Amino acid sequence: MAHSVIIGDSKSTKSVLIVTDKRVIYANRGDIFGHWDAEWTYTWSELKEKPKRSAKGVEFLLKDEKKKKFPFQLGSSAKKIEVHISEPKRAEWLVGKIAEAMDAWK
C-alpha cells in the first residue's frame, strides 16, 4: 500500500518502511551482498493503536503481551518503536497510509 526509503545517519545506511494490507515491515539493506533483511515486522493486531507522528518520525506502540499472561502485574511493559524520519511531511504521510491500511483491515 505504501513504502518509504529511510536514510540513516551515515548516508550509506538504507532502510525501507513497507506498509501492506496486513502489516508494517522495517527492512535494512545488507552492505556486502545487497540483500534485504526484515529488522522487524508487526501485524495490525499486534499494535496497541494507530501509529503517531513523533518529534523524530513515527512512533509505534505494541500491545502489552505480558498483561495477558500475568493479569495482576503492576506497571506497563508496552514497547515503543520509533522510526526516525527527518522529513515531517513524509512522516505525516506514512502515518496516514498506515491508518488507512489499519482501517481497511478491520
Side-chain angles (χ1 to χ4, degrees):
M1 297 183 78
H3 73 279
S4 181
V5 175
I6 312 296
I7 299 174
D9 294 336
S10 66
K11 300 291 182 195
S12 63
T13 304
K14 285 195 179 177
S15 302
V16 177
L17 187 70
I18 303 166
V19 180
T20 74
D21 61 337
K22 293 181 175 63
R23 68 181 63 240
V24 61
I25 304 163
Y26 188 78
N28 294 316
R29 185 167 190 190
D31 291 333
I32 298 173
F33 297 111
H35 63 283
W36 289 90
D37 292 316
E39 187 171 317
W40 53 258
T41 178
Y42 296 104
T43 62
W44 304 136
S45 62
E46 293 174 301
L47 298 179
K48 186 172 186 175
E49 57 191 33
K50 292 178 184 175
K52 297 177 185 171
R53 172 81 177 87
S54 69
K56 294 182 180 180
V58 179
E59 183 180 275
F60 296 89
L61 186 61
L62 303 177
K63 286 184 179 173
D64 187 1
E65 295 298 323
K66 288 183 180 178
K67 243 182 193 177
K68 292 178 184 174
K69 294 177 186 173
F70 307 106
F72 301 110
Q73 179 182 6
L74 297 175
S76 175
S77 62
K79 184 176 177 184
K80 284 185 191 178
I81 296 176
E82 192 165 24
V83 177
H84 296 262
I85 301 172
S86 58
E87 301 168 31
K89 286 184 181 181
R90 182 182 300 235
E92 197 66 42
W93 177 79
L94 277 168
V95 166
K97 288 297 183 181
I98 294 167
E100 282 178 32
M102 290 178 83
D103 287 341
W105 176 73
K106 290 181 181 180

